[in-house]
Structures are given as structure tokens and as C-alpha cells.
Amino acid sequence: MMPQAQLQTVGASAPAVPEQPCAGGEACELRVDGLRKSFGKNRAVLQGVSFAVHRREAVALIGSNGAGKSTALRCALRLVEPDAGSLTLFDEDITSAKARRLRHIRAEVGFVFQKHNLVPRVSALTNVIHGNLGRAGGIRGWSQAFAPSHLRERAMACLERVGLADQARKRADQLSGGQSQRVAIARALMQDPKMIVADEPVASLDPVAGQEVMDLFHQLTREEGITLLFTSHNVQQALDYSDRVLALKQGAIVLDQRSANLSAADLGKHYG
Amino acid sequence: MPGRLERPGALQFTAYVALAAFVLWSFQGAGWSFSALVSGGPAMADFLSRAWPPSLERLPQLSKALVETFQMALAGTIIGIIVSLPLAVLAARGLTRQTPISRVFYTSSRLLIALFRTVPDLVWALVFVISVGLGPFAGTLAIAVDTIGFCGRFFAESMEDVEKGPSEALTAAGAGKFDTIFCAVVPAAMPSFITTSLFALEKATRSSVVLGLVGAGGIGIELKVAMDFFDYQLAMTIILMIFVLVLLVERLGTIARGRILEGSSR
Ligand SMILES: Nc1ncnc2c1ncn2[C@@H]1O[C@H](COP(=O)(O)OP(=O)(O)O)[C@@H](O)[C@H]1O
Ligand SMILES: [Mg+2]
């Protein structure tokens, strides 16, 4: 309830983060500037959100339920159209990009949702193959049954990467929660993404499955150099799996600091 | 303790009285007559006694007509389903991108489906008899149009009801609208498509029977001729054959639906 004090925190204790994100030549994957969004006549959910995600960085966005984390991520890819603000993805201004251009850019970002959002009634393999639709549409990308063998092989490799090659034929709605989320990650990997955006990827999983999924993200960022932006309302988890933490509160970023300089107790103050 | 009945306000009371009056007036308009019902009883009994036993004389010809009836129903339903799918995609709320052109398609497909649904199949049969001539083709077209009215509406509704998550996921991955509909929406709506289609086939079987009355093919014309010539034994045979066909299709439909619902909950 003390936004002023918190804003001071940002200014005072975040020397590692440049004032103008990515202005200093540092490679920048995503930059969001002055993002605003409201739904209907309600108070604006986002009231000028600005942040940047650098190449190969793992960034956690924390905030309580309803703080606007999901909305911020959706706006960043224009899955929800922001009211104001500018968006830069991979050094390209997508604020007013046309549909076709936007699709090309989106194809480079793997989006993982809290609810895995797999297509039910079709196989895990088909769901992974869908990850290629941003590159090539058409009937051959609709199902594993029609897909050319190079796509099927690549999809199998992605399933292998998440440890689920043996579940390829299983219907998506028959997988466990953790398996579903890993198939969703395999679908994102099928995009061969530069960046993965994950919205509370483990919030609906049990602790063990959640740990597995977070470890998988960790490997992907470390071993394959994929940039990661994820949201969480678990403070400790956000710290453990990120290089940097952003906190969203009352429609603005109230904290932006290296995870190494933070403790869960520090974060607890800004959260809730 | 509240009263068992609430005392209606003056306006409410007037509305009740008006409604009751309207219902009574409708019975009068419908020619409701107890005396006719009573005197009709013996005539009905007379028909039944004269219709029994059913005549088996023309069984081969009638069987052929019955098969033709079902063929009309099946072919018309299949054509109807095929046309319904793209029409339903256009007519489903929030499936296509919001551009002025898509809005024109949305409105016109909705209007077309509503027109096909609200005009009764017998009227369509009359129209097609005039345009393509007497015979089963006219009936098949009438059934196809009727099926589009039925399936178009329910296909569209089931696609609107599909969870939005998978579509959003594919959109986020850069998939286009067309691919998203066929990969995320259609598979999820498939059980509902199939049950709707089976209902459409049952409905089509029932209507294919009466389309013959206006000369649009099938067994209906045989029934009309039998009645016109007071050959009640033949008429009874036809009525029983229709009964068996419709019952059979309904049973098979129920069994198939049961299988599908079972499969989707597994
Ligand atoms: N599509 C929408 N329509 C209306 N309100 C929405 C919509 N999406 C989100 N909101 C509202 O925006 C606020 C932030 O939601 P969300 O971004 O999901 O928060 P978080 O992910 O941090 O829990 C909530 O009050 C929510 O009700
Ligand atoms: Mg959320």
C-alpha cells in the first residue's frame, strides 16, 4: 500500500538494471514500454508497465492473483491488444505490426500456459506437430497422420527432450497434469523458439511435477540458450529459477532486481 | 411465516387473465370439439378393423420404396452435413477475425441457416419438385436443405462452446485462423458434431417419409395412393414399415451416440 516507497526501492537498489532497458547496447529480446490495458470500465489492469528481457536471461514476473501478470504476457505478444504502449520483440517494433508479420514473430516465441492448453482428443505427437503451424500452415501440419516425416521426426525429438517419447500416441486428454505441461513445452520447442514465455507454468501441478517442469525450463535456458520469461506467485520458486525478478503491483512494475541480490523475505514485502 | 401464494399485482392479474383467454380462444380456433372426438372414435375403430390384417401383396415394391426413402434420407443428410461445416464456421461467433468482410459473411450465413431451418421441409420439397421435377432427387435436396438448417446451427454453437485455451495456444505459436480452427476447434467439437449428425439422420428419416406425399420420392406417395383408394390394408402395411424403419434408425443412432460419449469421457 505504499507505492511511493516501493518506487524508491526500484530506483535505489537496482543499479544493475539500466534505466532505459536495452538502451546500452545489451542484446534485448523483448522490450515493453508504457504498456496500458483496461477491460471495460474497470480500473486499468496495467497502468504503464515497462520492462525488458535480455538475451539468454531467465526473468520471473511475480505478483499476487489478479495483479495483471497474465494480461501483461498476453499483451506482450498482442494476444490481447494493449490500449497503449510500445512493444519490441527481437529488435523489431511490433506495436502495430500487421497480422502476417505478427504471426512470423510469434512463431519465434514459445508460449506455455498455466492450463497446458493442449488440443484434446488428438495425440501428444499431433499436439507437438501443431507447434510448427507458425512456420508452415496447411493440412500437413494438422495431424501427425498427414505430416511429412521430417516434421514427425523433429516432433519426436522434442518429445524426447521432455522425456515423453513413449507417450507420443497417447491422447492428450489422457495424460497427467505434469505430462500435459511437458507436451506443451515440447510443442513450444517444436517452434525452435528464441524465447519461451510461460504463464504460471506449474501453478496447477503437484509439487513434484512442478519441480520437474521448472528444472526442464532451467535446462532449456542453460543448455540451449533460450530466453525465458515466466510468471509465478511462488516467491521462492521465482528466485530459484531466475536471473532477475520483476514485481507487478497495482498496474506497475514496483521492483526490478537481480535474483542473486534478493531473498524471499525481501520479495514477500512486495507481494500480496 | 410467508403466505403460500403471493397476491399478484393488478398488472400481473390482467396478464394472467389475458393469457388464459388467449389459450381458450386458440382451442376454439383449432376446431377443438369433444363431440367430433367421440363420434370419431367408431370411425377410427372401423378404419383399424378394415386395415387388419395388413396386406402383404405389394411387399416387394413397398420394400423398394422404403429403401429409396432411407437412401434419400442418408444422401440428403450427408450433403447437408458437408455444406453445414463451412457455413457453421462462418456463423460461429468469435471464430473468424473481426473485419467488415467477415461480418458480412457472418450475418449472411446466419440468415441462410435461419431461413433453411424455419421454412418446413415439406415446403422445400414443394419448391424442389417444381424446380427439379417429381422424384427422389427433389426429396433429397429438401432433406439436405433441412439438414443445413439444423446442423449449421448446432455445429456453430458447439464450436462457440469449445474451450478457448487450445486456440489461443496455437495463435500464440503463430498459427493462422484457418489452421487454428481445423486443429484446435474442430477436434474438440467432433463428438458434438457426430451426435448432431446422427440426430439429423433420424430427423431426415422421419421427414423423408412424408416428402413422398408431395411427390418428392420415397414411400409417402404409396401411402397417399393407398389412402385415396381406401385400400386400408395396404396403408396399414406401409404405416408399419415406416414405424419399423424410423424405430430402427433411432435405435442405431442411440447406440452409436452412447459409444461416442463413452469414448470421449474415457
Ligand atoms: N479478458 C478479460 N476480460 C475482463 N477482465 C479481465 C480479462 N482478463 C483479465 N481480466 C482482469 O484483469 C485482472 C488481472 O488479471 P490477470 O492478468 O489474469 O492477473 P494475474 O495473471 O496476475 O492473476 C483481473 O482483475 C481480471 O479479472
Ligand atoms: Mg494469471
Side-chain angles (χ1 to χ4, degrees):
Chain A
M1 291 305 288
M2 298 186 298
Q4 239 126 44
Q6 280 152 10
L7 282 172
Q8 277 171 10
T9 323
V10 176
S13 56
V17 180
E19 280 279 282
Q20 281 290 317
C22 294
E26 206 172 342
C28 183
E29 299 286 67
L30 168 66
R31 192 169 68 210
V32 170
D33 255 322
L35 194 64
R36 292 178 173 276
K37 179 70 191 174
S38 54
F39 293 102
K41 290 198 182 74
N42 299 329
R43 204 171 129 265
V45 177
L46 306 178
Q47 308 175 355
V49 167
S50 305
F51 63 88
V53 179
H54 306 110
R55 194 153 295 161
R56 290 167 175 259
E57 195 181 25
V59 174
L61 176 63
I62 65 165
S64 50
N65 262 334
K69 303 181 296 295
S70 302
T71 304
L73 295 192
R74 286 192 164 92
C75 283
L77 278 184
R78 286 179 55 201
L79 293 171
V80 164
E81 237 11 279
D83 298 338
S86 72
L87 303 168
T88 312
L89 251 177
F90 313 127
D91 298 320
E92 180 171 343
D93 187 347
I94 61 156
T95 313
S96 49
K98 292 271 191 316
R100 178 179 293 260
R101 191 66 217 137
L102 197 55
R103 281 182 48 200
H104 278 283
I105 292 277
R106 280 176 184 160
E108 311 225 43
V109 182
F111 206 118
V112 176
F113 297 83
Q114 172 177 349
K115 254 194 89 260
H116 51 79
N117 285 349
L118 296 182
V119 178
R121 304 184 64 79
V122 302
S123 66
L125 183 59
T126 292
N127 269 285
V128 177
I129 284 176
H130 287 167
N132 195 56
L133 284 171
R135 293 228 156 73
I139 192 163
R140 303 206 77 186
W142 291 357
S143 162
Q144 60 90 14
F146 318 139
S149 45
H150 70 91
L151 273 191
R152 299 179 91 242
E153 279 158 22
R154 203 149 63 74
M156 280 309 293
C158 293
L159 276 174
E160 189 82 56
R161 187 72 187 78
V162 301
L164 286 175
D166 55 331
Q167 306 289 324
R169 294 201 146 271
K170 205 160 187 185
R171 258 171 59 166
D173 40 322
Q174 293 168 358
L175 298 168
S176 73
Q179 288 174 331
S180 299
Q181 197 58 295
R182 274 145 68 198
V183 171
I185 294 169
R187 175 172 65 187
L189 290 177
M190 187 73 182
Q191 295 174 238
D192 197 8
K194 291 185 190 164
M195 177 174 176
I196 288 183
V197 173
D199 188 11
E200 305 215 27
V202 302
S204 25
L205 303 183
D206 63 73
V208 175
Q211 180 87 33
E212 277 171 17
V213 165
M214 287 316 296
D215 287 340
L216 182 59
F217 278 124
H218 189 72
Q219 281 173 23
L220 292 173
T221 49
R222 289 298 165 272
E223 290 165 18
E224 279 156 54
I226 298 175
T227 308
L228 177 68
L229 170 62
F230 71 99
T231 67
S232 175
H233 61 242
N234 180 334
V235 167
Q236 190 57 51
Q237 191 175 60
L239 273 179
D240 290 348
Y241 290 95
S242 68
D243 303 317
R244 191 153 56 92
V245 177
L246 307 171
L248 184 61
K249 192 168 180 181
Q250 293 171 345
I253 299 290
V254 294
L255 174 139
D256 182 343
Q257 278 190 38
R258 307 230 127 255
S259 310
N261 308 338
L262 281 167
S263 71
D266 294 336
L267 283 182
K269 285 186 301 195
H270 298 288
Y271 170 73
Chain B
M1 187 69 124
R4 287 173 192 278
L5 294 174
E6 252 175 65
R7 184 184 284 272
L11 199 68
Q12 233 176 340
F13 185 72
T14 321
Y16 285 147
V17 170
L19 188 67
F22 186 78
V23 169
L24 284 177
W25 181 56
S26 299
F27 270 85
Q28 195 223 336
W32 185 259
S33 148
F34 279 107
S35 59
L37 200 62
V38 169
S39 67
M44 187 65 157
D46 180 50
F47 165 77
L48 286 178
S49 74
R50 286 209 271 153
W52 206 263
S55 116
L56 301 180
E57 237 170 81
R58 286 175 37 79
L59 205 57
Q61 293 96 313
L62 290 182
S63 303
K64 200 162 153 270
L66 192 71
V67 169
E68 183 187 275
T69 308
F70 182 66
Q71 287 172 324
M72 281 164 49
L74 189 65
T77 308
I78 289 173
I79 302 288
I81 289 168
I82 292 172
V83 179
S84 296
L85 267 174
L87 216 54
V89 167
L90 294 178
R93 235 181 296 269
L95 224 55
T96 47
R97 209 181 298 139
Q98 292 301 303
T99 61
I101 300 167
S102 80
R103 216 156 296 160
V104 170
F105 278 124
Y106 169 79
T107 311
S108 40
S109 57
R110 288 229 151 202
L111 277 175
L112 196 67
I113 290 170
L115 177 74
F116 285 1
R117 187 180 61 244
T118 50
V119 176
D121 45 5
L122 212 55
V123 176
W124 288 118
L126 285 169
V127 170
F128 287 123
V129 163
I130 294 167
S131 49
V132 304
L134 290 167
F137 186 49
T140 307
L141 289 180
I143 287 170
V145 165
D146 206 46
T147 302
I148 295 169
F150 181 75
C151 288
R153 175 189 179 175
F154 287 108
F155 285 2
E157 281 181 6
S158 57
M159 285 192 282
E160 287 168 6
D161 289 345
V162 162
E163 261 194 280
K164 299 287 175 278
S167 301
E168 191 185 22
L170 296 193
T171 306
K177 273 285 173 196
F178 192 70
D179 291 320
T180 304
I181 289 170
F182 277 91
C183 290
V185 180
V186 170
M190 196 48 86
S192 156
F193 283 179
I194 293 172
T195 49
T196 302
S197 302
L198 287 170
F199 272 127
L201 181 63
E202 288 171 24
K203 192 165 120 64
T205 310
R206 278 191 298 271
S207 45
S208 65
V209 167
V210 290
L211 295 184
L213 296 178
V214 298
I219 203 167
I221 188 71
E222 301 279 354
L223 183 59
K224 183 168 158 44
V225 170
M227 288 297 228
D228 286 351
F229 284 90
F230 307 108
D231 191 345
Y232 294 150
Q233 288 179 317
L234 192 64
M236 181 54 87
T237 310
I238 296 168
I239 291 170
L240 289 176
M241 288 173 85
I242 291 171
F243 175 72
V244 169
L245 173 70
V246 174
L247 208 64
L248 208 66
V249 171
E250 281 186 0
R251 279 307 303 156
L252 290 179
T254 308
I255 292 169
R257 263 196 303 279
R259 284 268 166 86
I260 289 155
L261 292 183
E262 194 182 292
S264 66
S265 65
R266 239 189 293 138

